[in-house]
Amino acid sequence: MEKINNVTEFIFWGLSQNLEVEEVCFVVFSFFYMVILLGNILIMLTVCMGNLFKVPMYFFLNYLSFVDICYSSVTAPKMIVDLLAKNKTISYVGCMLQLFGVHFFGCTEIFILTVMAYDRYVAICKPLHYTNIMDRGRCNKMLLGTWIGGFFHSIIQVALVVQLPFCGPNEIDHYFCDVHPVLKLACTDTYVVGVVVTTNSGTIALGSFVILIISYTIILVSLRKHSAEGRRKALSTCGSHIAVVIIFFGPCTFMYMRPDTTFSEDKMVAVFYTIITPMLNPLIYTLRNAEVKNAMKRLWSRRVFSKANG
């Protein structure tokens, strides 16, 4: 069957059709986005300027913050502008690029969180071999693997959608282009595509989540052999990781580990993992992680002291 595509742009319904609600949301989400940028940039500056790059945990934390900025920037600026716009439109090409970006950075974040769990497992369960296992070369390879994995996942999602015909309607009941809302607009049977999309996303989400649960269970069990101070320090870092995993994987599981269907709650759940989670990550890693807090204090007190002397 020849592909028929009469749609050159899509129209978002947005978060709400109430003007007053949209104005409030504009202020709230503009503030949230600024917190995302400032919080994650602060962590990146702390890692880079505080000479923490040599430590694998902070090496990956730096890139997690970078991915959080990119991930939220794929959807947040467009959503914020649309809250005050009468016509919430996006071109067909722009929609496909946004779909690619959401899945690319979202999947990369999942893999980085998995690698960070492995790093904590090695650090706590195999401390004598930690420097050999988590050397810079291996860290670089694992980081490259997270980007490659994210790319292949997202390119599959986009390839499945691009080959579908769209002949109208072109209204998306969402605030950004995601697979399930876009599939509803295709003027052909999308059952097979929906199954492949769900399998692709579900395998990555469920597989990574199971690995994370197993890793942290082993870590928590092994902590019984450590001293009270060792347990406190390990729980400080692992606690922040576990909190991030829960708040990120919870909404992702709801959205992508289910058949090709959409619910009215999808938009609010999507807000949670595209905006709230990237905003909370810096707070969790600074408030729950004593080493990050101390590094920030040392770095910024040193800068204030040098400015005072200057």
Side-chain angles (χ1 to χ4, degrees), residues 151-204:
F151 175 80
F152 277 112
H153 162 73
S154 54
I155 207 71
I156 290 171
Q157 302 292 76
V158 173
L160 289 169
V161 175
V162 165
Q163 51 88 31
L164 295 173
F166 294 92
C167 44
N170 66 336
E171 296 184 354
I172 299 176
D173 186 13
H174 216 305
Y175 65 89
F176 70 92
C177 288
D178 203 359
V179 176
H180 293 312
V182 173
L183 285 181
K184 289 180 67 176
L185 303 181
C187 48
T188 187
D189 181 30
T190 60
Y191 175 77
V192 175
V193 173
V195 170
V196 177
V197 163
T198 301
T199 303
N200 185 15
S201 298
T203 301
I204 291 172

Side-chain angles (χ1 to χ4, degrees), residues 8 40 49 76 121 132 158 170 173 182 287 295:
T8 58
N40 284 290
M49 299 175 69
Y121 162 75
N132 291 329
V158 173
N170 66 336
D173 186 13
V182 173
L287 295 177

